[in-house]
């Protein structure tokens, strides 16, 4: 097991649930002991199930002087796209919806085969993909943004929170739990070193 | 050998430096240009990130204002300052405080995502508040610059390899006493 922060190699050890392994050189977190065998997989599948209503049911509805507007998770993306801010629309779509769902899928694929007694060909590659997806999958930031927006709108419009928002919040929570429960060390391989360390 | 290793470390930090400088430059239009326009009953109002946060404060939403200022102004600046400190330390030679710098790097890696708050906020408001002549909210060019700054900051953090901080190979931590 290699520390991703300082590159020091460590011997793998089995961790009890709740235990953490830290690098002996930089004190960075190497791995965490997982709770319960099926819990991370269950939480991934739950998150994926919740993603469906989060994407397609009404997210928030707003009304003003008889006019009503119902938004879904993708309404803001569409508005930005129509506004000519297409790159921004794609960014919001990726960070708020596609990458979180893809990350949940990746984590589920990594953990499902072991539960059914089968192994995937290159789990290290998928684990590294999951680590990359973590950078862009930020549904919790979108949840905070929506809460800030609701406070900001305040008394200007009548706002009703739709079922999709609650599903989205629950999906975000599942993703956080799945990430915490995912044992990166179990699938990690030594990454190719960059810069000075590659050559030295 | 050590000298050659340091030379390669400098080469490795160049991309991070370039991206961090680009992010710093992009923060200027991001903070000066309006990010949202609100059209309420024919009255137009342009808001920058800061003026929007101040407006929230004036309406008694102090806590929300603090969240917006922290996520959209303080975090990007802190992140660039932290990254700058780390890069300068590496360029000066093998850093003596590598452990502390590694912790700073890990913290920067974690907090960066929260800067996207304003981008999501603009997208959400633009999608929801569309009531024709009554009230309209529209995203403006400032938010594109801000999103670019956030992305560049994230890329700068990822481009920097924290292992270069340990190129000199300081000794491991002492084993914990039983």
């Amino acid at each position: 097991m290699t520390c991703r922060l300082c590159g020091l190699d460590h011997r793998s050890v089995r961790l009890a649930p709740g235990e953490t392994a830290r690098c002996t050189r930089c004190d960075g977190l190497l791995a965490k002991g997982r709770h319960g065998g099926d819990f991370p997989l269950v939480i991934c599948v739950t998150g994926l199930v919740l993603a469906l209503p989060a994407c397609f049911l009404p997210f928030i509805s707003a009304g003003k002087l008889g006019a009503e507007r119902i938004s879904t998770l993708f309404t803001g993306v569409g508005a930005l796209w129509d506004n000519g801010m297409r790159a921004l629309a794609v960014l919001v779509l990726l960070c708020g919806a596609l990458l979180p769902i893809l990350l949940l899928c990746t984590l589920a694929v990594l953990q499902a085969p072991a539960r059914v007694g089968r192994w995937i060909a290159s789990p290290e590659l998928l684990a590294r993909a999951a680590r990359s997806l973590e950078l862009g999958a930020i549904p919790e930031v979108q949840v905070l943004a929506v809460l800030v927006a609701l406070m900001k709108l305040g008394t200007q419009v009548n706002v009703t929170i739709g079922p999709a928002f609650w599903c989205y919040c629950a999906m975000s929570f599942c993703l956080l739990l799945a990430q915490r429960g995912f044992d990166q060390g179990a699938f990690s391989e030594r990454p190719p070193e960059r810069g000075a360390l590659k050559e030295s | 050998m050590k000298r050659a290793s340091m030379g390669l470390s400098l080469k490795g930090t160049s991309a991070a430096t370039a991206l961090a400088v680009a992010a710093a430059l992009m923060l200027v239009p991001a903070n000066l240009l309006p990010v949202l326009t609100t059209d309420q009953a024919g009255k137009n109002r342009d808001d920058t990130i800061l003026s929007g946060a101040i407006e929230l404060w004036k309406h008694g939403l102090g806590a929300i204002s603090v969240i917006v200022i922290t996520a959209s102004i303080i975090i990007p600046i802190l992140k660039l300052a932290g990254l700058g400190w780390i890069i300068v330390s590496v360029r000066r030679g093998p850093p003596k405080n590598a452990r502390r710098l590694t912790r700073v790097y890990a913290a920067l890696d974690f907090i960066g995502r929260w800067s996207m708050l304003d981008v999501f906020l603009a997208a959400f408001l633009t999608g929801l508040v569309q009531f024709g002549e009554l009230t309209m909210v529209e995203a403006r060019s400032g938010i594109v610059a801000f999103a670019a700054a956030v992305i560049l900051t994230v890329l700068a953090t990822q481009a920097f390899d924290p292992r270069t901080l340990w190129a000199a190979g300081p000794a491991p931590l002492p084993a914990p006493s039983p």
Side-chain angles (χ1 to χ4, degrees):
Chain A
M1 185 179 286
T2 307
C3 175
R4 73 178 182 91
L5 289 173
C6 73
L8 190 69
D9 282 329
H10 295 78
R11 184 171 51 86
S12 291
V13 289
R14 188 170 291 278
L15 295 171
E19 271 187 340
T20 54
R22 292 195 167 271
C23 176
T24 55
R25 186 161 70 172
C26 73
D27 204 30
L29 186 67
L30 286 174
K32 282 180 185 174
R34 290 192 300 171
H35 288 279
D38 287 335
F39 180 73
L41 178 61
V42 168
I43 222 74
C44 286
V45 174
T46 309
L48 286 171
V49 170
L50 286 165
L52 283 172
C55 287
F56 299 112
L57 291 180
F59 199 70
I60 304 278
S61 60
K64 182 159 187 170
L65 300 173
E68 196 181 16
R69 186 169 169 84
I70 298 170
S71 74
T72 68
L73 184 59
F74 306 111
T75 305
V77 174
L80 288 176
W81 185 273
D82 294 341
N83 218 4
M85 299 177 174
R86 295 186 171 175
L88 196 63
V90 171
L91 179 71
V92 172
L93 179 67
L94 283 173
C95 295
L98 294 188
L99 294 183
I101 293 171
L102 204 56
L103 179 56
L104 278 169
C105 287
T106 310
L107 294 178
V109 167
L110 269 169
Q111 292 170 80
R115 308 314 310 164
V116 293
R118 297 179 68 178
W119 297 97
I120 42 178
S122 52
E124 306 87 10
L125 201 68
L126 267 183
R128 283 174 66 186
R131 167 89 190 127
S132 303
L133 287 171
E134 278 178 1
L135 282 176
I138 47 175
E140 68 277 15
V141 182
Q142 170 133 299
V143 169
L144 183 64
V146 171
L147 293 176
V148 168
L150 293 181
M151 296 290 284
K152 190 173 179 173
L153 288 171
T155 53
Q156 292 175 35
V157 291
N158 298 319
V159 175
T160 311
I161 297 173
F165 178 69
W166 298 119
C167 291
Y168 188 77
C169 290
M171 186 204 79
S172 305
F173 188 60
C174 286
L175 181 60
L176 286 176
L177 285 179
Q179 284 174 275
R180 283 179 67 89
F182 175 58
D183 185 3
Q184 190 92 32
F187 299 99
S188 69
E189 62 170 4
R190 188 183 179 126
E193 299 193 348
R194 293 175 286 174
L197 299 168
K198 191 196 283 182
E199 306 293 335
S200 60
Chain B
M1 178 68 185
K2 192 174 160 187
R3 208 168 160 180
S5 152
M6 277 314 295
L8 287 161
S9 298
L10 291 181
K11 201 175 165 187
T13 57
S14 297
T17 310
L19 289 163
V21 170
L25 290 175
M26 206 46 102
L27 272 182
V28 177
N31 282 287
L32 294 181
L33 293 174
V35 290
L36 279 180
T37 291
T38 312
D39 185 351
Q40 200 158 13
K43 258 177 81 176
N44 254 322
R45 185 191 155 85
D46 286 342
D47 273 315
T48 61
I49 292 171
L50 188 61
S51 74
I54 291 170
E55 193 65 16
L56 285 172
W57 185 276
K58 282 182 186 166
H59 281 83
L61 300 167
I64 301 295
S65 171
V66 169
I67 289 174
V68 172
I69 288 177
T70 305
S72 306
I73 298 174
I74 297 175
I75 287 180
I77 292 172
L78 265 183
K79 205 169 168 183
L80 285 175
L83 204 56
W85 178 30
I86 293 171
I87 290 170
V88 167
S89 301
V90 169
R91 282 182 175 268
R92 279 184 181 164
K96 287 174 185 156
N97 51 350
R99 194 166 294 129
R100 184 193 292 172
L101 291 173
T102 306
R103 280 184 186 158
V104 170
Y105 177 83
L108 295 179
D109 196 25
F110 173 75
I111 62 169
R113 56 175 50 200
W114 293 99
S115 301
M116 281 291 286
L117 180 92
D118 234 21
V119 177
F120 283 127
L121 185 66
F124 178 73
L125 287 176
T126 306
L128 186 66
V129 187
Q130 298 291 332
F131 296 105
E133 289 175 3
L134 290 174
T135 310
M136 288 274 283
V137 172
E138 206 171 286
R140 297 290 302 277
S141 51
I143 200 67
V144 179
F146 182 72
V150 173
I151 297 294
L152 286 168
T153 317
V154 170
L155 291 177
T157 314
Q158 293 307 309
F160 180 79
D161 189 344
R163 289 173 293 186
T164 55
L165 290 167
W166 299 88
L173 285 171
S177 51

